[in-house]
Amino acid sequence: MTANTERRATAGLVPLLVAGSMVVGVCVWLAVHTGTSVLAGYIGGPVALVAAVYGCWKIGSSIMVTRPVRAFWRALSHAAVLLLIGSCVSLSLSQNNAGLSLVAAAPNVLGIVWVVAAMARLPLGDPTVLGWARTLLDLVTVAVAGTLIYWYVVLSYATAGTDLDTRIAAGTVGVLGLLALAIVGKAAVTPHAPVDSLALRLLSGAPIVGAAIAVMLIAGSAGPRLAMSVLTGPLVALSFTAAAWRQQHVLAHPPAETAKRHRTMWGLIPMLAVVTTAALVITVSSREMNDRERAVIIGAVLIVVCVVARQLLGLRENKQLLAGLRTQQAELERLAMTDPLTGLANRTRFGAALEERLAAHRAVTVLMIDIDDFKMINDTMGPALGDQLLYQVAQRLRNHSSVSSSGNDLPARLGGDEFAVLLDADDVAVAEDAAARIQLALAEPFRVGEERLLAHASIGVAVAGAGDSADEVLRNADIAMYAAKEGGKAAWVRFEPRMRQEVVNHARLGSELHNAIIRNELFLLYQPVFDIVTGRLHGAEALVRWKHPVRGLVSPGDFIPVAERSGLIVPLGSWVLREACRQLAEWKIAHGTGAIKAINVNVAVRQLREPGFVDEVAAVLSEYGLLPGNLVIEITESSVADGRQVRETLQALHEMGIRLALDDFGTGQSSLSLLRAFPVDVLKLDKSFVDGIADGEDRGRLAVAAAVAQLAEYLQLSAVAEGIESEAQLERLRDMGYRLGQGFYMAKPLPADEAGALMAADPVPVKN
Ligand code: C2E
Ligand code: MG
Ligand code: MG
């Protein structure tokens, strides 16, 4: 807070203190005065009102407030001037203690009119013609009721000798006071009124005092009448200065914007006026009318009462409707923010919470969680059980979040099998610990239907940096999650900026690859597969290469994953299949029986998911005059685990007579169970088991290599050892029972003509 605003806040206090001390002073005077001169008692009024003029004028001249508010307080200071004049007149008349003359009341009446006018100019709630008409009708109702009450009740208590002037002046002040009270009340309950609501409530003290003095002057006895006469000025001034002080205070300390619910008791004031008038009419009619007239009046009043009661019921009904609407709205908002299957927060709520925490500069980490191979689970077990699994995953995330150290973690389901947790942490160790614990929580088997299922998750961890947007944090977590998937799934990976660069590179490579297919930059090499016992050429594996115009030769290890992710693998794979078949047909023509019997083609899971894949293969074979037995399709274990459709495709290919080879065998997780479920013909022992096989150092790998050979023999499959690089490896493999092998030791992937030359030549002498 600046020194200026502080000064302004205390400046409002001085007039309030002056008015307050005048009230106290006058009360003390009333208690001690002896009944002779009353002049001293009347002095408090003008002094206090000067303070009120000053207090209101101070705000009215401040450039810190908006125009309507300034105009309002200026009008109030004018009204205070008029009341000050009225109070001076009372002071001069105090000597003879006469009643209230019209002349003496005139400035007061004008003062009240001024306040009412100032109020009427404030922008109050509903500015439509209908809104104004409603306010006007309410005010007329209050004025009529006030006049009637004054006429029939107050005047009936008038002390003898009250002259007509006093009666009219007091009546005018009283009714205007009521009107002012009603309009101040209305302004005070108007939501978002420009003038502070508490200031207006404090201001309503003034009309109350006005109405009270009007009654007292007519119906009061001498003592209270005097007390009221001397106290009116100071009390009215106290109300003005208190309101002014409050307004100053609000300017210096603006309150936080809260949605206050204003109670609309004000709406009941016109009703109260109607009911009071009705009671009055009945009382008067019972005194002054004959039976028939009275019956008519009572009937009319009853109708009015019924209409009012009906109105009240309508009000109640509206309130109930409003409350119902509010509950419905709250429920709709809740539903729009919740995932219906799991009850967790949905993507919208998660994004909003993330943005909120970032905006508040709070520590934020996002864990992006994707269930590994969920598609396969969903396909094999059906969507109902898939849903059950998702529900249980959500349950575990919820449990994990409720026991987290901050207790502020927000788990959410973003869609499909993708979940996320928002952590209140920016400490890498805390974030990684949370990821590891979630992984552990999800690693426990799930009971879904009758089955016990193991479902792993890949988790991407992104700690928000300074200035990161919600989108950036989510994208980083996503990138890290994909890195976890690519790294072999069932793992968590923390985002690092270089990953973003990799994604950009992949995207660029993807668009270049698209052109590569069109511009014929792809070609095939053929790696011969040998019978390692006889040394004869047995077959060949087609391996794609990309001759990039700038980068040179790009290896499939770099561009196949990009092609798989972008879907380009489908046209690329089609091209490879056609080209390999075309080449085999050419070799057959050129080398007759010397040509290899079958060509191996690698096929990605994305291709197997294409509904027309089987037909495409059949069409290509027939186009080049080949038989199904001339083709071996190499697939990885993870494709077999992909789902029902892929399994059906593989079955159809097998039934056609095409052989299926499990590539990179031994590196997957569920090799043995797959062999039962899937019609495999060839096992290709992964190169990693061949490496180091010769020196016998790695007994584990050695055992796998030997076991695969035995398994193949037992199941009557052929086994091919991949990546043979030395004679020692070759010998060892042969000893283990391998019959077929490929590797740089025998031949690297070769251009078609070099591979063809091998078919024409004599068998390669295999070293023994
Ligand atoms: P893969 O199907 O397991 O192919 C064997 C890979 O091992 C080839 O690498 C081959 O050059 C390499 N290799 C063979 N013998 C040796 C050896 O003695 N030592 C070493 N160090 N490496 C050896 P390449 O051609 O780079 O292909 C890598 C992978 O890319 C392939 O693994 C296959 O998964 C994929 N790929 C290649 N061509 C295609 C294709 O046309 N379609 C699809 N979908 N994938 C392909
Ligand atoms: Mg292969
Ligand atoms: Mg392989």
Side-chain angles (χ1 to χ4, degrees):
M1 188 167 52
T2 64
N4 233 352
T5 48
E6 188 64 83
R7 211 172 315 123
R8 207 172 329 123
T10 44
L13 205 56
V14 178
L16 176 62
L17 287 177
V18 172
S21 39
M22 284 305 117
V23 172
V24 175
V26 171
C27 285
V28 172
W29 175 83
L30 277 170
V32 300
H33 102 282
T34 50
T36 48
S37 166
V38 291
L39 184 69
Y42 274 96
I43 285 178
V47 175
L49 282 164
V50 167
V53 172
Y54 173 75
C56 296
W57 170 81
K58 199 79 186 129
I59 308 177
S61 60
S62 164
I63 51 161
M64 300 296 291
V65 290
T66 58
R67 258 172 100 145
V69 176
R70 215 157 51 208
F72 173 77
W73 287 98
R74 247 195 328 259
L76 274 194
S77 79
H78 299 157
V81 170
L82 288 165
L83 295 175
L84 172 64
I85 297 171
S87 136
C88 290
V89 174
S90 301
L91 178 69
S92 68
L93 294 177
S94 64
Q95 287 311 81
N96 53 22
N97 202 13
L100 186 60
S101 73
L102 276 176
V103 179
N108 293 323
V109 169
L110 263 179
I112 301 174
V113 170
W114 212 266
V115 172
V116 172
M119 286 290 169
R121 277 168 50 201
L122 273 183
L124 294 180
D126 185 0
T128 58
V129 175
L130 215 67
W132 276 110
R134 211 167 22 225
T135 307
L136 197 69
L137 276 179
D138 286 346
L139 292 180
V140 170
T141 314
V142 171
V144 170
T147 311
L148 284 178
I149 293 164
Y150 177 76
W151 192 267
Y152 278 99
V153 182
V154 181
L155 283 188
S156 70
Y157 291 102
T159 42
T162 314
D163 57 31
L164 187 63
D165 267 13
T166 307
R167 289 169 189 236
I168 294 175
T172 315
V173 169
V175 173
L176 278 174
L178 274 185
L179 263 185
L181 180 62
I183 197 163
V184 171
K186 159 92 173 160
V189 297
T190 302
H192 312 299
V195 177
D196 177 68
S197 143
L198 180 57
L200 289 171
R201 277 162 218 249
L202 288 168
L203 202 59
S204 64
I208 291 173
V209 172
I213 179 77
V215 172
M216 209 57 80
L217 283 176
I218 298 298
S221 54
R225 190 195 271 185
L226 173 68
M228 220 37 229
S229 302
V230 290
L231 268 174
T232 299
L235 283 177
V236 167
L238 183 66
S239 158
F240 273 53
T241 50
W245 169 78
R246 166 67 193 177
Q247 184 75 63
Q248 290 275 28
H249 179 81
V250 172
L251 288 175
H253 311 265
E257 193 62 47
T258 50
K260 272 192 230 154
R261 299 237 295 120
H262 294 269
R263 272 192 272 146
T264 51
M265 283 300 288
W266 193 86
L268 293 180
I269 291 179
M271 306 279 184
L272 200 69
V274 171
V275 171
T276 318
T277 312
L280 203 62
V281 168
I282 291 180
T283 320
V284 171
S285 68
S286 67
R287 271 205 318 253
E288 294 166 12
M289 291 178 186
N290 66 32
D291 281 353
R292 284 181 60 195
E293 288 166 337
R294 204 177 297 137
V296 171
I297 291 293
I298 290 177
V301 165
L302 269 178
I303 288 176
V304 170
V305 169
C306 286
V307 171
V308 168
R310 171 95 186 46
Q311 275 259 42
L312 283 174
L313 283 180
L315 265 179
R316 222 186 127 84
E317 211 170 52
N318 282 350
K319 259 193 189 154
Q320 281 172 345
L321 271 176
L322 260 179
L325 273 176
R326 277 200 199 101
T327 336
Q328 270 185 8
Q329 194 178 349
E331 182 59 14
L332 280 176
E333 272 169 19
R334 195 187 64 76
L335 284 177
M337 294 286 179
T338 311
D339 170 54
L341 173 65
T342 60
L344 291 186
N346 64 7
R347 185 180 279 277
T348 313
R349 170 141 174 251
F350 189 82
L354 175 60
E355 267 171 15
E356 213 170 86
R357 292 191 193 186
L358 287 173
H361 303 290
R362 283 166 61 183
V364 172
T365 292
V366 169
L367 305 182
M368 190 71 74
I369 303 161
D370 195 277
I371 310 300
D372 296 335
D373 303 321
F374 178 74
K375 191 172 158 17
M376 182 194 74
I377 297 169
N378 213 31
D379 275 7
T380 39
M381 308 196 62
L385 293 185
D387 282 357
Q388 269 191 36
L389 175 65
L390 291 177
Y391 181 81
Q392 289 185 34
V393 168
Q395 208 61 32
R396 291 197 190 169
L397 290 180
R398 199 180 278 130
N399 291 345
H400 170 268
S401 299
S402 65
V403 298
S404 78
S405 51
S406 76
N408 275 335
D409 298 356
L410 176 69
R413 178 170 171 239
L414 305 187
D417 60 338
E418 197 177 48
F419 293 84
V421 178
L422 188 57
L423 300 181
D424 238 357
D426 56 4
D427 184 338
V428 173
V430 174
E432 291 184 347
D433 183 52
R437 274 187 296 122
I438 288 178
Q439 197 112 58
L440 216 63
L442 297 181
E444 290 281 307
F446 291 88
R447 181 164 283 286
V448 176
E450 296 296 298
E451 311 265 347
R452 277 165 69 83
L453 271 186
L454 266 182
H456 298 283
S458 298
I459 304 181
V461 182
V463 180
D468 278 355
S469 71
D471 277 351
E472 276 165 343
V473 183
L474 279 175
R475 204 174 48 224
N476 293 349
D478 219 39
I479 290 173
M481 192 269 287
Y482 272 105
K485 280 227 186 281
E486 262 168 27
K489 305 183 181 175
W492 55 265
V493 166
R494 182 159 56 85
F495 172 79
E496 285 165 35
R498 65 160 176 83
M499 291 179 185
R500 199 178 299 147
Q501 195 49 48
E502 280 166 17
V503 169
V504 173
N505 287 346
H506 276 184
R508 196 174 302 142
L509 208 63
S511 77
E512 290 172 351
L513 187 60
H514 185 78
N515 294 332
I517 301 173
I518 304 167
R519 293 184 193 149
N520 287 326
E521 289 168 13
L522 301 177
F523 64 97
L524 294 184
L525 292 183
Y526 299 88
Q527 185 172 39
V529 177
F530 290 97
D531 180 323
I532 56 176
V533 177
T534 63
R536 277 180 197 284
L537 180 66
H538 173 82
E541 178 178 4
L543 295 162
V544 69
R545 295 288 181 269
W546 177 10
K547 193 167 183 316
H548 190 282
V550 182
R551 297 172 202 237
L553 212 58
V554 186
S555 106
D558 290 332
F559 68 85
I560 290 290
V562 176
E564 283 181 341
R565 217 171 302 140
S566 62
L568 278 174
I569 191 73
V570 175
L572 189 152
S574 293
W575 178 84
V576 171
L577 177 72
R578 284 182 67 81
E579 177 59 16
C581 288
R582 191 200 59 74
Q583 187 58 59
L584 179 61
E586 196 181 304
W587 282 330
K588 275 183 174 297
I589 293 165
H591 307 291
T593 51
I596 53 170
K597 301 286 169 294
I599 185 87
N600 287 25
V601 175
N602 292 287
V603 169
V605 65
R606 273 292 270 272
Q607 292 172 266
L608 297 173
R609 281 192 213 135
E610 291 292 300
F613 184 73
V614 178
D615 294 342
E616 181 190 339
V617 174
V620 170
L621 287 177
S622 86
E623 186 183 343
Y624 292 107
L626 298 178
L627 296 170
N630 298 134
L631 182 62
V632 179
I633 284 182
E634 295 196 7
I635 50 172
T636 55
E637 284 166 306
S638 59
S639 4
V640 185
D642 188 73
R644 188 183 301 153
Q645 198 200 328
V646 166
R647 272 207 320 280
E648 281 171 5
T649 301
L650 293 174
Q651 191 66 42
L653 291 169
H654 175 76
E655 279 163 15
M656 250 171 84
I658 291 168
R659 276 170 294 159
L660 301 175
L662 263 189
D663 207 350
D664 306 339
F665 189 73
T667 53
Q669 287 167 358
S670 47
S671 315
L672 295 178
S673 63
L674 280 180
L675 294 182
R676 273 197 301 143
F678 147 83
V680 63
D681 303 284
V682 182
L683 299 182
K684 293 192 78 172
L685 179 72
D686 191 68
K687 177 178 182 303
S688 58
F689 299 101
V690 175
D691 292 342
I693 209 173
D695 45 26
E697 258 173 24
D698 190 337
R699 300 198 64 82
R701 287 177 187 277
L702 203 72
V704 172
V708 169
Q710 284 172 15
L711 193 71
E713 194 183 340
Y714 186 70
L715 295 175
Q716 296 191 312
L717 310 173
S718 41
V720 182
E722 279 190 301
I724 304 169
E725 289 180 338
S726 69
E727 187 181 345
Q729 287 171 348
L730 182 78
E731 270 173 24
R732 202 66 204 264
L733 287 163
R734 210 164 24 194
D735 292 347
M736 281 178 183
Y738 282 90
R739 180 89 207 212
L740 300 171
Q742 68 188 91
F744 292 175
Y745 177 65
M746 288 88 81
K748 290 199 167 183
L750 305 171
D753 52 348
E754 289 180 34
L758 288 178
M759 295 170 205
D762 289 335
V764 175
V766 176
K767 295 99 183 167
N768 40 25

